[in-house]
């Protein structure tokens, strides 16, 4: 028997990343760190050599050194290893630590549902439509938030905001302006409290635009209140779902008021939020109407949240079509960004900001963490969409936050618990998606929104490509995100 | 780094972190766990340390007892040489030549009773100077 055993080299293999090309260059989006690195020729060659599977370093050097030089190959290997794009096959798989935030994690944004009444009757609305999770017709909670509850909410917000210098208060509904009186009083009260506490407070609200009387507009402008208008686009699209209770479309009624808002409210940029359904999938047309013809500063899109079988649910082919148009708009955005011009497609801008910062999320959104929703009766919920649902309550503004429930929720909803996401390269940005969406789709806030994965990955890839191309052609543009 | 260029803020942070630990280790790389995969200019024993956990040098043993060696994971699969091979090859093929006696001058018969290392290693005795 021989006294020596064959030499067994160590093997190197790829770790988790998503490569993408932009501006003729190749980049890596590393998972889960969310770092973006540019690859040069040797490092790209080394990485590609590992496409077929693990290889020993000597084998890689033997194969690549004649073309690239031994030093370049070895250095590339070392660098790829340092950023963990590759690693030893024997190294233990890095697990995503299930780290929960600290117990006194401060509240950054509080969303007040000042009313659950609306003067419109949009058929897809989660407050009223078939997918509502809160029974707004026979729920004992009041239809309008009282002045007292609103003030208690403000106190609660400042209390929970810890050492943060700024608190964000967002009004939501129903139609927020139906409770205009309480809005006015609450803003005044919050300003006063902020002054006492030496803090700042920032306000925003969402409205359907139908109640924007001149007096209201002036008040919004004077108080620097950020306004988002829920609107679905040109007349024929807006009037399909955004209807009054008698079935009449709301476009003709709302549009003159919205235009006046855009003329007179110059203290904050005003955005439009579009809900996309199967019937209103002309994304580009909607965008140009709202951005260029009407004059919104930004336009954001969200596919309707719904169970599968509803008539307005977007089906697979619809998603492809929608994605194509999103991609075209993203291309437009890129052309603008390269020239340092503002475009206004907020979906792509928001994602690019997250990419530039290297956000890697343990939770899909701030719900129950830095963001909470308050129902008309003062119950505190994960976010505005859950406001009023007893199952998702984490306290009340009168009795305080139920920290135990909050942490149970966070523990249960950490992305590390979502097995499906654990191999997905998009998880630093997606982390499983909206809890409310999951609740409506699957009856469980804790499951990943798997019906969206293809769409999410495809869209994230588009945003990475736009990002990479900006980084190549106009890197200065990205500095605005380095707050 | 020469071949990877940090693009986003997170990448820049990683680069700064890696750069700092390279400097702190006297030029040794941060992550590499195989000698050759480390920076060619910076081959250093410290570069072989596992990234987390206790300091366990890779590939060779500090104590001469075949089979005691562990890699950075605590197993033997990632050793730069199979454990049995250490017995005879460490002083030739490895950069850490301290674990076997000098068989040329001092202890030429050291492995005389050991025909197959995997089987007979217990027959190898300690060497005293
Ligand atoms: S929900 Fe889908 S796209 Fe999102 S992280 Fe999980 S697997 Fe990826
Ligand atoms: S759960 Fe959904 S609706 Fe609520 S804050 Fe998160 S993403 Fe938004």
């Amino acid at each position: 028997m021989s006294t020596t055993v064959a030499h067994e080299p160590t093997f190197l293999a790829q770790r988790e990343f998503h490569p993408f090309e932009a501006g003729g260059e190749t980049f890596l989006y590393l998972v889960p760190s969310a770092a973006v690195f540019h690859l040069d020729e040797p490092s790209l060659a080394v990485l590609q050599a590992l496409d077929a599977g693990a290889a020993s370093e000597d084998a890689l050097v033997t194969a690549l050194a004649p073309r690239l030089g031994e030093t370049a190959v070895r250095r590339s290997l070392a660098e790829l290893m340092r950023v963990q794009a590759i690693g030893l096959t024997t190294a233990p798989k890095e697990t995503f630590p299930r780290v929960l935030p600290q117990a006194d994690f401060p509240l950054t944004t509080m969303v007040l549902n000042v009313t659950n009444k609306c003067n419109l009757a949009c058929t897809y609305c989660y407050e009223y439509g078939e997918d509502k999770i809160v029974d707004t017709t026979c729920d004992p909670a009041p239809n309008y938030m009282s002045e007292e509850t609103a003030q208690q909410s403000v106190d609660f917000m400042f209390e929970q905001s810890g050492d943060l210098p700024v608190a964000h208060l967002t009004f939501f509904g129903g139609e927020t302006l139906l409770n205009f009186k309480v809005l006015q009083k609450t803003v005044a009260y919050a300003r006063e409290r902020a002054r006492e506490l030496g803090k700042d407070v920032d306000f925003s609200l969402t409205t359907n635009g139908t109640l924007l009387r001149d007096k209201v507009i002036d008040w919004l402008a004077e108080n620097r209140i950020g306004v988002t208008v829920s609107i679905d686009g040109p007349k024929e699209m807006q009037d399909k779902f955004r209807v009054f209770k008698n079935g009449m479309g709301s476009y003709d009624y709302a549009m003159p008021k919205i235009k006046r808002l855009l003329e007179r409210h110059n203290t904050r940029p005003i955005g439009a939020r579009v809900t996309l359904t199967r019937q209103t999938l002309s994304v580009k047309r909607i965008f140009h109407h709202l951005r260029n013809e009407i004059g919104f500063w930004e336009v954001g899109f969200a596919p309707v949240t719904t169970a599968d079988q509803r008539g307005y649910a977007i089906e697979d082919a619809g998603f492809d079509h929608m994605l194509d148009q999103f991609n075209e708009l993203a291309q437009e955005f890129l052309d603008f960004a390269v020239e340092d011009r503002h475009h206004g497609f907020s979906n792509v801008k928001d994602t690019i900001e997250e990419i530039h910062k290297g956000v890697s999320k343990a939770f899909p959104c701030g719900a129950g963490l830095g963001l909470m929703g308050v129902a008309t009766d003062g119950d505190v919920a994960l976010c505005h969409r859950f406001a009023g649902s007893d199952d998702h309550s984490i306290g009340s503004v009168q009795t305080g936050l139920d920290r135990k429930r909050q942490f149970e929720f966070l523990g249960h909803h950490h992305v590390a618990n979502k097995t499906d996401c654990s191999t997905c390269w998009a998880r630093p940005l997606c982390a499983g998606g909206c809890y409310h969406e999951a609740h409506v789709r699957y009856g469980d806030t804790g499951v990943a929104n798997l019906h969206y994965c293809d769409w999410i990955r495809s869209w994230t890839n588009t945003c990475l490509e736009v990002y990479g191309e900006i980084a190549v052609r106009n890197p200065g543009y990205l500095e605005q995100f380095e707050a | 780094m020469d071949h990877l260029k940090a693009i986003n803020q997170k990448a820049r942070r990683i680069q700064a972190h890696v750069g700092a630990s390279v400097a702190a280790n006297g030029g040794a790389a941060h992550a590499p766990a195989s000698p050759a995969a480390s920076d060619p200019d910076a081959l250093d024993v410290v570069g072989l340390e596992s990234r987390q956990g206790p300091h366990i040098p890779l590939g060779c043993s500090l104590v001469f007892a075949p089979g005691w060696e562990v890699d950075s994971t605590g197993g033997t699969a990632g050793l730069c040489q199979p454990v049995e091979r250490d017995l005879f090859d460490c002083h030739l093929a490895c950069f850490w030549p301290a674990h076997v006696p000098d068989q040329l001058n001092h202890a030429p018969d050291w492995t005389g009773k050991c025909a197959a290392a995997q089987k007979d290693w217990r027959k190898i005795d300690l060497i005293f100077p």
Side-chain angles (χ1 to χ4, degrees):
Chain A
M1 194 185 261
S2 148
T3 54
T4 52
V5 178
H7 177 75
E8 268 178 43
T10 49
F11 283 88
L12 295 165
Q14 293 177 347
R15 292 272 183 99
E16 257 187 298
F17 55 76
H18 174 70
F20 62 97
E21 274 168 38
E25 305 286 332
T26 305
F27 299 85
L28 280 192
Y29 179 67
L30 295 172
V31 183
S33 72
V36 177
F37 282 98
H38 170 264
L39 296 177
D40 69 353
E41 198 195 337
S43 53
L44 177 61
V46 164
L47 208 59
Q48 280 170 343
L50 289 168
D51 277 348
S56 73
E57 179 171 0
D58 289 344
L60 290 169
V61 172
T62 313
L64 298 171
R67 181 157 63 89
L68 302 162
E70 179 170 348
T71 311
V73 175
R74 288 201 194 274
R75 272 189 186 275
S76 296
L77 277 168
E79 291 181 16
L80 286 166
M81 229 160 140
R82 280 184 215 149
V83 303
Q84 303 197 16
I86 61 174
L88 292 173
T89 45
T90 48
K93 187 179 172 338
E94 204 107 357
T95 47
F96 201 56
R98 203 167 138 280
V99 180
L100 292 184
Q102 297 190 330
D104 54 353
F105 193 88
L107 185 65
T108 43
T109 305
M110 194 171 72
V111 187
L112 275 195
N113 269 43
V114 287
T115 177
N116 51 33
K117 280 270 167 217
C118 189
N119 58 336
L120 292 186
C122 307
T123 36
Y124 51 61
C125 179
Y126 52 78
E127 281 275 348
Y128 293 103
E130 295 152 291
D131 290 317
K132 69 183 171 199
I133 53 178
V134 183
D135 188 346
T136 29
T137 43
C138 51
D139 192 64
N143 287 328
Y144 296 94
M145 182 179 275
S146 70
E147 206 181 309
E148 193 197 351
T149 308
Q151 295 194 350
Q152 285 168 333
S153 305
V154 170
D155 292 338
F156 174 89
M157 171 182 79
F158 282 122
E159 201 182 295
Q160 298 297 332
S161 68
D163 294 335
L164 293 181
V166 191
H168 299 268
L169 181 55
T170 300
F171 300 106
F172 207 79
E175 170 47 42
T176 45
L177 295 178
L178 282 172
N179 204 357
F180 185 53
K181 251 209 201 99
V182 167
L183 289 189
Q184 286 173 292
K185 293 249 166 77
T186 311
V187 167
Y189 178 75
R191 282 211 198 286
E192 194 187 303
R193 290 289 292 138
R195 218 175 359 255
E196 287 164 18
L197 294 164
K199 292 194 177 206
D200 260 338
V201 56
D202 171 78
F203 303 98
S204 54
L205 61 74
T206 301
T207 174
N208 61 30
T210 54
L211 297 173
L212 287 167
R213 286 165 289 136
D214 287 352
K215 189 181 121 194
V216 175
I217 295 176
D218 289 343
W219 178 79
L220 292 169
E222 274 160 29
N223 284 283
R224 293 184 41 80
I225 296 188
V227 180
T228 302
V229 181
S230 296
I231 184 164
D232 287 356
K235 182 169 164 58
E236 73 278 11
M237 302 185 194
Q238 166 82 355
D239 288 351
K240 200 156 262 156
F241 293 105
R242 294 200 166 262
V243 292
F244 286 100
K245 302 210 159 77
N246 62 8
M248 186 183 100
S250 58
Y251 186 88
D252 287 337
Y253 189 81
M255 204 38 87
K257 296 186 165 64
I258 292 172
K259 284 186 175 151
R260 219 154 38 239
L261 172 78
L262 291 166
E263 270 162 36
R264 292 167 82 133
H265 187 344
N266 297 320
T267 51
R268 293 276 289 265
I270 294 174
R273 187 193 186 279
V274 179
T275 304
L276 291 172
T277 61
R278 181 160 68 192
Q279 284 89 341
T280 59
L281 288 177
S282 317
V283 179
K284 268 179 88 174
R285 169 118 199 281
I286 298 171
F287 179 85
H288 288 295
H289 179 70
L290 296 176
R291 172 82 185 100
N292 304 323
E293 290 162 35
I294 304 298
F296 281 102
W297 177 249
E298 280 195 331
V299 183
F301 296 87
V304 68
T305 295
T306 180
D308 237 343
Q309 59 281 16
R310 309 269 188 251
Y312 39 80
I314 302 167
E315 286 155 348
D316 290 352
F319 266 121
D320 290 347
H321 178 61
M322 186 159 94
L323 200 56
D324 287 345
Q325 295 188 65
F326 263 53
N327 288 344
E328 282 175 42
L329 266 187
Q331 208 53 47
E332 258 185 50
F333 177 97
L334 171 66
D335 296 340
F336 276 60
V338 167
E339 294 169 7
D340 277 323
R341 282 159 64 209
H342 171 75
H343 180 257
F345 182 22
S346 57
N347 298 63
V348 76
K349 189 166 177 200
D350 294 347
T351 309
I352 280 179
E353 176 163 4
E354 291 191 323
I355 293 171
H356 187 64
K357 293 196 161 125
V359 171
S360 183
K361 299 175 186 170
F363 300 97
C365 63
L369 195 59
L371 178 146
M372 289 171 202
V374 183
T376 49
D377 61 359
D379 265 7
V380 178
L382 302 172
C383 78
H384 50 291
R385 286 199 179 189
F386 290 104
S389 153
D390 288 339
D391 292 345
H392 306 95
S393 159
I394 48 173
S396 84
V397 295
Q398 291 90 4
T399 60
L401 196 57
D402 186 341
R403 288 281 182 194
K404 193 165 157 270
R405 267 196 95 161
Q406 182 193 12
F407 274 80
E408 271 166 20
F409 172 84
L410 293 174
H412 182 61
H413 288 73
H414 195 284
V415 65
N417 299 344
K418 298 177 183 172
T419 330
D420 296 297
C421 305
S422 68
T423 53
C424 170
W425 64 263
R427 74 182 181 279
L429 287 164
C430 169
C434 170
Y435 306 133
H436 178 263
E437 174 88 25
H439 181 81
V440 170
R441 271 276 167 154
Y442 307 105
D444 181 354
T445 50
V447 302
N449 282 292
L450 297 179
H451 57 291
Y452 273 175
C453 298
D454 289 345
W455 150 265
I456 293 281
R457 282 189 284 258
S458 177
W459 174 241
T460 308
N461 184 59
T462 298
C463 291
L464 283 169
E465 285 170 1
V466 171
Y467 176 80
E469 190 143 352
I470 296 175
V472 170
R473 292 169 60 192
N474 185 15
Y477 177 88
L478 300 169
E479 280 164 20
Q480 63 181 299
F481 303 126
E482 298 180 8
Chain B
M1 293 201 283
D2 302 331
H3 298 282
L4 302 186
K5 183 171 154 224
I7 302 293
N8 67 355
Q9 288 185 294
K10 180 64 78 63
R12 279 183 240 150
R13 290 223 298 279
I14 291 178
Q15 189 169 28
H17 177 74
V18 166
S21 67
V22 168
N25 286 350
H30 175 238
S34 92
S38 65
D39 205 321
D41 291 351
L43 282 179
D44 184 304
V45 180
V46 186
L48 301 176
E49 261 183 85
S50 66
R51 209 171 39 77
Q52 303 139 329
H55 178 143
I56 300 172
L58 272 168
C60 301
S61 72
L62 291 176
V63 185
F64 175 62
W68 280 33
E69 303 93 322
V70 284
D71 61 20
S72 66
T73 67
T76 55
L79 298 176
C80 69
Q81 311 272 352
V83 284
E84 298 83 356
R85 191 181 153 120
D86 277 6
L87 254 184
F88 301 103
D89 263 6
C90 263
H91 60 309
L92 298 174
C94 191
F95 64 92
W96 190 265
H99 303 301
V100 289
D102 170 1
Q103 291 162 73
L104 281 178
N105 307 303
H106 184 59
D109 298 329
W110 179 57
T111 59
K113 287 182 241 159
C114 177
Q118 299 97 309
K119 208 158 69 199
D120 299 330
W121 61 268
R122 286 181 193 77
K123 295 180 187 155
I124 298 180
D125 209 347
L126 296 176
I127 303 280
F128 297 96

